[in-house]
């Protein structure tokens, strides 16, 4: 038996927010907008959402303090505002950080629960409906049941997982990503690639997730070489990156991620390496790890990217990531021990031991 579940109404195209204002009244009569500090104000997304709401006479309040890799603190403050202002729905605008904070705020607005209960996905009341307007092309959060929160208690990331936080509507206008700085474009594209690759190489892969993951990999393979230093990217490239990220999000919504993401969390938590970059730095050695026992599948990933082997893949990634951060042996063993406890480890095609993770960290990060 396989299940394929994508309940989000997905709308893609220039001006799709303004042209679909008619979708908002069905969600309620007052909205909470959740964004990061700056980008939504300068890329046109916040203004378009405000205008679409005004057109339908829906008042909105805004929480615009979400930082990258948010903890639940921001989501709790946004939820408090949602309750005070009696809003009916939440619109997340931004990269994965504001989108995930919007999802968690939607849960906490209707459920007064502590972090432990939140991370056990045990909430009695339905969250408020969520709308997602992504402005990076990476996380796929606009279609997933996941929200990732930095969790100091475990010095890593914890998930909130619920079908009830899957956005009702996702509005994807690549124009918002046109001024995304190249390093953010690169890092987020590597996040999308890691989603598609991990989904394809997951024990939970299904026929549908496989087909979608491969199409995401194909699109990324065509565009990744353009993300080297100094590239300028036109609208079509931006839109293809955004749809590749969307497809990768649909794929991980079916399968989840694997050991690669689990290892990446420590790089972000302890070394402040951006989420997508962290996965990108490790991806070549992750493919190398799986290659001996899963040659056919790993080769399918590489061929779909237009490459002929892991060495070519590593060369492409090295070109994109530039100088690598370095880790000490002590960090490698601590990060591997933390990663072994992550919920996505068992979905890895070849179940890793702690020594396997240490091996991948070593090849990626020792000089
Ligand atoms: P992000 O943390 O949301 O944003 C990174 C930076 O990009 C911020 O400084 C942001 O500025 C800026 N930015 C965003 N959109 C921009 C635009 N259009 N133009 C210029 N700058 C822009 O990065 P992200 O990689 O998209 O998200 C990472 C988070 O998503 C992590 O917490 C990760 O764990 C999570 N994640 C979630 C899922 C899921 O399924 N839910 C999957 C993978 C990753 P502002 O702060 O000013 O907006
Ligand atoms: Fe990710």
């Amino acid at each position: 038996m396989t299940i394929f579940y994508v309940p989000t109404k997905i709308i893609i195209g220039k001006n799709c927010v303004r042209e679909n204002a008619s979708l908002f009244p069905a969600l309620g009569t007052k909205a909470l907008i959740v964004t990061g500090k700056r980008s939504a104000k300068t890329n046109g997304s916040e203004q378009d959402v405000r205008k679409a709401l005004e057109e339908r006479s829906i008042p909105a309040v805004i929480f615009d303090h979400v930082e990258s890799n948010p903890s639940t603190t921001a989501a709790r403050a946004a939820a408090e505002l949602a309750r005070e202002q009696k809003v009916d729905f939440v619109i997340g605008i931004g990269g994965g950080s504001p989108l995930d904070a919007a999802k968690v705020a939607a849960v906490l607005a209707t459920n007064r629960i502590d972090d432990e209960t939140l991370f056990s996905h045990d909430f009695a009341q339905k969250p408020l409906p969520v709308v997602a307007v992504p402005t990076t092309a990476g996380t796929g959060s606009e279609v997933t049941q996941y929200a990732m929160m930095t969790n100091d208690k475990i010095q890593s990331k914890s998930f909130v997982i619920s079908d009830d936080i899957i956005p009702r509507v996702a509005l994807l206008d690549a124009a918002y990503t046109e001024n995304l700085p190249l390093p953010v474009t690169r890092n987020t594209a590597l996040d999308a690639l890691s989603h598609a690759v991990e989904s394809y190489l997951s024990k939970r892969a299904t026929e549908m997730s496989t087909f979608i993951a491969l199409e995401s990999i194909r699109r990324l393979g065509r565009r990744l070489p353009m993300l080297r230093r100094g590239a300028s990217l036109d609208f079509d490239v931006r839109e293809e990156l955004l749809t590749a990220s969307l497809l990768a999000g649909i794929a991980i919504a079916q399968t989840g991620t694997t050991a690669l993401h689990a290892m990446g969390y420590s790089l972000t938590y302890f070394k402040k390496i951006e989420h997508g970059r962290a996965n990108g730095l490790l991806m070549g050695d992750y493919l190398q790890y799986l290659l001996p026992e899963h040659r056919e599948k790993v080769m399918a990933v590489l061929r779909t990217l237009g490459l002929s082997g892991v060495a070519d893949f590593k060369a492409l990634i090295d070109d994109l990531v530039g100088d690598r951060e370095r880790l000490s042996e002590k960090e490698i063993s601590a990060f591997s021990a933390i990663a072994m406890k992550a919920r996505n480890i068992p979905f890895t095609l070849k179940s890793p031991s702690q020594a396997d993770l240490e091996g991948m960290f070593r090849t990626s990060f020792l000089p």
Side-chain angles (χ1 to χ4, degrees), residues 29-93:
T29 57
K30 192 167 184 182
L32 168 69
I33 297 172
V34 176
T35 73
K37 286 198 173 123
R38 282 170 300 275
S39 67
K41 302 196 192 305
T42 52
N43 63 30
S45 53
E46 185 187 316
Q47 199 189 17
D48 282 353
V49 167
R50 283 181 181 281
K51 284 192 177 148
L53 291 169
E54 272 165 28
E55 196 184 294
R56 298 282 154 167
S57 306
I58 298 174
V61 290
I62 184 159
F63 182 87
D64 55 4
H65 293 88
V66 181
E67 293 184 345
S68 283
N69 302 299
S71 67
T72 54
T73 312
R76 285 189 185 284
E80 193 54 48
L81 183 62
R83 273 197 296 265
E84 261 171 39
Q85 295 286 329
K86 298 190 169 46
V87 310
D88 304 308
F89 64 108
V90 183
I91 306 175
I93 307 174

Side-chain angles (χ1 to χ4, degrees), residues 299-315:
M299 287 312 296
V301 167
L302 295 167
R303 274 196 303 271
T304 307
L305 283 168
L307 303 170
S308 56
V310 175
D312 288 353
F313 181 83
K314 286 189 171 183

Side-chain angles (χ1 to χ4, degrees), residues 149-158 262 265-266 269 338:
M149 295 283 113
T150 298
N151 183 355
D152 290 326
K153 216 165 163 187
I154 59 161
Q155 297 188 306
S156 188
K157 293 249 178 176
S158 286
Y265 299 147
S266 284
Y269 188 86
I338 291 173

Side-chain angles (χ1 to χ4, degrees), residues 34-36 39-40 43 66 92-101 133-142 180 184 188:
V34 176
T35 73
S39 67
N43 63 30
V66 181
I93 307 174
S97 300
L99 298 189
D100 286 1
V133 182
T135 68
T136 63
T139 71
S141 180
E142 67 274 14
L180 198 59
V184 185
T188 47

Side-chain angles (χ1 to χ4, degrees), residues 69 157 264-275 278:
N69 302 299
K157 293 249 178 176
Y265 299 147
S266 284
L267 297 174
T268 301
Y269 188 86
F270 293 101
K271 308 293 282 188
K272 309 290 172 237
I273 299 175
E274 295 84 352
H275 172 69

